[in-house]
């Protein structure tokens, strides 16, 4: 009987699929320092981002034949080393794209109606300064008809574009690899509407967008820094639900303070899990603690996809 340790948990749908296929699945979390011992009794392990699967651990667990990552990033796994030892490493990159894309719009709708500030001030001042607050938040804007610039046109970038198109926004996208094709709007009743989209240059995205959303991995330096902010439209807004480091946070604060950038929405930060205080306290930033993929639907899809990858691997 094949035994899997789902050390960071797995959605019940995924667990049920594995059990139906005859696997034993344990979901209690074994502390990192006891994993080497515990994994001697398992054939595979699944993790999210908490458990680390490093070379040192892999050298002590000869029975492990598969590592499954529920989600995208595999920074917590020594992937190449595992594969060099013949251990399969699988992840579920597409399962959470829509959840991340929807969070982008949660930040955008928040910013265009000042909710990040209203939610902070209403509890303290709503009963005493209602009319002053009403006036302060009177100049909201709509998203329809505005242009969203999407930097990084992979799975999440395209999903974000599709939501934007559904809202009646214009899309300007840039990727290292050009795209020229259709995105499909899936509407009620099974209606599918193909919409042609073609990537443009980074400069065009930066200069012509009302809102800019980042969807690239982190490489070695920020994609948006002081130079890029200077080339943006006045009053632009910026959302980052990709990875910390892709925006120069000091340059962002300067651009918010000067009014160049009207608001920002951030789900990811430098130095997670201890973001910069000046970012956390800024009244023009809508903040979430890296929850882009954290929806029930995404976790169900991740669990189901992970289960099918594990079943496929061991039944091969
Ligand atoms: P993906 O690999 O499908 O797409 C990334 C795209 O970025 C690729 O098309 C790639 O060509 C492009 N790219 C890379 N470097 C670039 C650059 N310098 N300029 C322009 N384009 C560039 O990945 P994805 O699934 O769409 O994920 C995108 C990002 O979102 C990743 O950083 C991922 O870690 C992050 N993410 C965040 C959350 C969250 O909770 N906030 C959840 C899932 C993924």
């Amino acid at each position: 009987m094949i035994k899997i340790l789902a050390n960071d948990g797995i959605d019940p749908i995924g667990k049920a699929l594995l059990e139906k296929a005859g696997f034993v699945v344990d979901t209690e979390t074994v502390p990192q320092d006891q994993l080497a011992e515990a994994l001697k009794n398992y054939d595979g392990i699944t993790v999210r981002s908490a458990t680390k699967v490093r070379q040192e651990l892999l050298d002590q667990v000869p029975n492990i034949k598969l590592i499954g990552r529920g989600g995208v990033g595999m920074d917590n796994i020594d992937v190449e080393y595992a594969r060099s030892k013949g251990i399969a490493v699988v992840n579920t990159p597409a399962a959470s794209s829509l959840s991340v894309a929807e969070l982008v719009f949660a930040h955008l709708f928040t910013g265009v109606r000042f909710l990040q500030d209203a939610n902070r001030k209403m509890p303290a001042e709503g009963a005493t300064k209602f009319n002053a607050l009403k006036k302060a938040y009177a100049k909201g804007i709509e998203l329809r008809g505005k242009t969203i610039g999407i930097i990084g046109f992979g799975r999440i970038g395209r999903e974000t574009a599709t939501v934007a198109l559904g809202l009646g926004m214009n899309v300007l996208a840039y990727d290292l690899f050009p795209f020229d094709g259709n995105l499909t709007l899936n509407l009620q009743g099974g209606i599918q509407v193909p919409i042609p989209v073609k990537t443009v240059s980074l400069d065009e995205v930066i200069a012509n967008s009302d809102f800019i959303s980042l969807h690239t991995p982190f490489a070695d330096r920020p994609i948006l820094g002081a130079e890029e902010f200077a080339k943006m439209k006045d009053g632009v807004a910026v959302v980052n639900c990709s990875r910390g480091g892709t925006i120069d946070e000091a340059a962002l604060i300067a651009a918010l303070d000067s009014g160049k950038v009207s608001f920002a929405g951030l789900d990811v930060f430098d130095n997670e899990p201890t973001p910069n205080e000046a970012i956390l306290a800024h009244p023009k930033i809508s903040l979430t603690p890296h929850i882009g993929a954290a929806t029930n639907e995404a976790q169900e899809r991740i669990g189901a996809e992970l289960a099918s990858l594990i079943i496929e691997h061991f039944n091969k």
Side-chain angles (χ1 to χ4, degrees):
M1 196 159 315
I2 292 165
K3 289 184 72 182
I4 306 290
L5 177 65
N7 209 48
D8 296 332
I10 185 167
D11 187 88
I13 289 181
K15 186 167 188 264
L17 283 170
L18 284 166
E19 287 171 348
K20 199 168 157 217
F23 290 68
V24 172
V25 184
D26 289 333
T27 54
E28 73 273 14
T29 302
V30 176
Q32 190 73 41
D33 60 355
Q34 294 167 28
L35 264 181
E37 191 53 38
L39 282 182
K40 293 192 171 123
N41 301 318
Y42 290 93
D43 304 283
I45 177 171
T46 71
V47 300
R48 289 180 179 158
S49 54
T51 302
K52 313 280 178 261
V53 188
R54 298 280 171 230
Q55 181 169 339
E56 189 200 351
L57 175 64
L58 290 168
D59 282 337
Q60 301 174 68
V61 291
N63 291 343
I64 291 295
K65 296 167 200 72
L66 175 138
I67 304 163
R69 159 71 160 107
V72 190
M74 301 219 272
D75 328 358
N76 53 325
I77 303 169
D78 284 342
V79 178
E80 290 315 317
Y81 187 73
R83 288 186 176 144
S84 77
K85 289 176 79 83
I87 301 171
V89 186
V90 296
N91 68 346
T92 60
S96 59
S97 301
L98 178 61
S99 300
V100 182
E102 288 196 1
L103 186 65
V104 171
F105 290 90
H107 282 297
L108 287 177
F109 280 118
T110 291
V112 291
R113 305 307 291 270
F114 313 103
L115 302 192
Q116 75 283 2
D117 202 49
N119 279 328
R120 288 164 177 165
K121 294 214 172 114
M122 283 295 282
E125 300 174 7
T128 52
K129 297 184 180 161
F130 191 94
N131 285 333
L133 291 175
K134 182 172 175 171
K135 199 168 163 201
Y137 307 135
K139 292 202 171 1
I141 57 168
E142 297 173 349
L143 295 187
R144 176 162 301 171
K146 305 294 188 307
T147 298
I148 184 167
I150 295 174
I151 300 176
F153 209 49
R155 287 174 290 257
I156 299 173
R158 289 178 207 187
E159 201 70 69
T160 301
T162 308
V163 177
L165 292 167
L167 285 168
M169 299 182 80
N170 309 311
V171 170
L172 282 177
Y174 165 71
D175 197 283
L176 293 177
F177 301 95
F179 174 88
D180 183 358
N182 286 328
L183 295 181
T184 304
L185 289 195
N186 290 301
L187 303 177
Q188 185 174 320
I191 298 169
Q192 294 198 316
V193 185
I195 306 206
V197 176
K198 195 173 165 186
T199 46
V200 297
S201 70
L202 180 59
D203 281 346
E204 282 175 76
V205 171
I206 286 179
N208 299 312
S209 301
D210 300 303
F211 308 98
I212 294 179
S213 189
L214 271 179
H215 298 288
T216 67
F218 173 68
D220 49 350
R221 62 190 185 88
I223 291 175
L224 299 182
E227 209 179 299
E228 288 74 27
F229 285 122
K231 292 183 198 155
M232 292 177 192
K233 276 184 167 183
D234 290 341
V236 65
V238 176
V239 174
N240 191 7
C241 292
S242 64
R243 271 288 181 269
T246 48
I247 292 187
D248 177 333
E249 291 185 349
L252 174 64
I253 290 177
L256 286 163
D257 289 344
S258 73
K260 178 77 188 179
V261 173
S262 61
F263 70 87
L266 300 180
D267 187 48
V268 291
F269 305 86
D270 289 352
N271 302 320
E272 288 181 26
T274 49
N276 177 350
E277 275 302 320
I279 288 281
L280 296 180
H282 205 287
K284 292 183 180 173
I285 306 182
S286 167
L287 299 152
T288 47
H290 206 145
I291 54 163
T295 65
N296 295 341
E297 292 86 349
Q299 294 312 316
E300 283 174 10
R301 286 192 295 264
I302 286 170
E305 193 178 340
L306 207 47
S308 65
L309 289 166
I310 294 169
I311 294 166
E312 194 185 318
H313 177 80
F314 283 102
N315 289 348
K316 212 165 35 200

